[in-house]
Amino acid sequence: MSQIPLRKAVVLVSGGMDSAVVIALAREQGYQVHALSVSYGQRHHSELAASDRVSRMLGAAEHKTVSIDLRSIGGSALTADIDVPLDTADSNAIPVTYVPARNTIMLSIALGWAEVLGSSDIWCGVNAVDYSGYPDCRPAFIEAFEQLANLATKAGVEGAGIRVHAPLMRMSKADIAREGQRLGVDFSATVSCYKADDDGRACGHCDACRLRAQGFREAGLVDPTRYR
């Protein structure tokens, strides 16, 4: 009896804990994962090594890294000579670690690859609960991008259409940590820190580190993060 081929999905992978859980969820739901990372000029290059490591570890069919130079426009502490804030109090302002249009660009690249692969499904780890206030992590953005994808592509006009999956959208970091434990994700292989060193060791003081540590603490799980 011939096997039914798995549905293909393009999964955006950053090397952090959220996208690792998204790969595991897509695999659990029967997708063949084609992992996609974007080298956009970020200062923490160890996240790209983590992206490849996590993709292989979680059984992705392939992992592709696409390069685009967002340092040429700057505007963020992750792509310009701007200090990453450390030990900052919570604020309603959009933080300086926001990278202008980053998720729009990444999803657009994922959309193009999905069309080439014949995939109708894009998965990403955006989150609207513990998300540092980034405007491109909200449900309205994902809904709007999905509408754009179905207006602007051959797959949307003539094919089966494009779906953008954001399964972590309404989960807290603690929820994500618990879900990762259920799925068997080795979080020690992931890198979340905005100031991670070349070995992927975290600073423990940036927003990403603080949210990650809080998530493990609230989930009652041991934090496997490697700190400097």
Side-chain angles (χ1 to χ4, degrees):
M1 183 180 296
S2 61
Q3 289 187 332
I4 299 174
L6 296 175
R7 296 170 293 169
K8 296 178 180 179
V10 174
V11 180
L12 283 169
V13 183
S14 69
M17 62 184 294
D18 295 356
S19 60
V21 172
V22 172
I23 294 178
L25 283 169
R27 292 269 291 147
E28 182 183 54
Q29 294 188 26
Y31 285 91
Q32 180 188 78
V33 169
H34 297 260
L36 175 65
S37 301
V38 179
S39 175
Y40 58 86
Q42 61 267 57
R43 63 168 68 200
H44 45 307
H45 300 291
S46 55
E47 75 169 32
L48 295 171
S51 296
D52 187 62
R53 181 168 62 245
V54 167
S55 297
R56 288 186 284 105
M57 178 182 74
L58 293 174
E62 63 177 319
H63 174 240
K64 182 187 295 290
T65 299
V66 173
S67 296
I68 182 169
D69 182 18
L70 295 186
R71 287 192 69 84
S72 62
I73 62 172
S76 168
L78 304 188
T79 58
D81 295 327
I82 301 171
D83 290 337
V84 173
L86 303 178
D87 299 316
T88 56
D90 292 337
S91 169
N92 292 326
I94 296 172
V96 72
T97 50
Y98 162 71
V99 179
R102 178 177 58 180
N103 283 350
T104 305
I105 292 166
M106 289 181 172
L107 281 168
S108 297
I109 296 170
L111 175 60
W113 195 25
E115 276 211 287
V116 171
L117 292 171
S119 168
S120 299
D121 299 277
I122 299 169
W123 291 60
C124 61
V126 298
N127 176 270
V129 179
D130 294 332
Y131 72 120
S132 295
Y134 298 159
D136 53 1
C137 289
R138 298 173 298 159
F141 167 72
I142 295 299
E143 293 165 8
F145 188 89
E146 185 175 88
Q147 290 178 348
L148 177 150
N150 284 291
L151 287 171
T153 59
K154 181 178 180 180
V157 175
E158 296 181 356
I162 300 291
R163 292 180 296 276
V164 181
H165 304 258
L168 311 185
M169 181 64 75
R170 293 176 173 84
M171 296 173 67
S172 68
K173 270 291 188 289
D175 294 332
I176 294 167
R178 294 187 194 99
E179 187 72 344
Q181 183 187 50
R182 181 186 72 80
L183 293 162
V185 174
D186 179 4
F187 285 123
S188 69
T190 65
V191 173
S192 300
C193 178
Y194 293 146
K195 291 173 61 67
D197 66 14
D198 290 342
D199 294 321
R201 293 175 300 182
C203 74
H205 298 280
C206 67
D207 282 351
C209 281
R210 291 170 58 242
L211 286 171
R212 177 174 168 130
Q214 179 181 340
F216 284 114
R217 185 168 60 250
E218 292 179 352
L221 299 175
V222 175
D223 182 357
T225 306
R226 295 182 302 122
Y227 292 101
R228 294 201 295 270

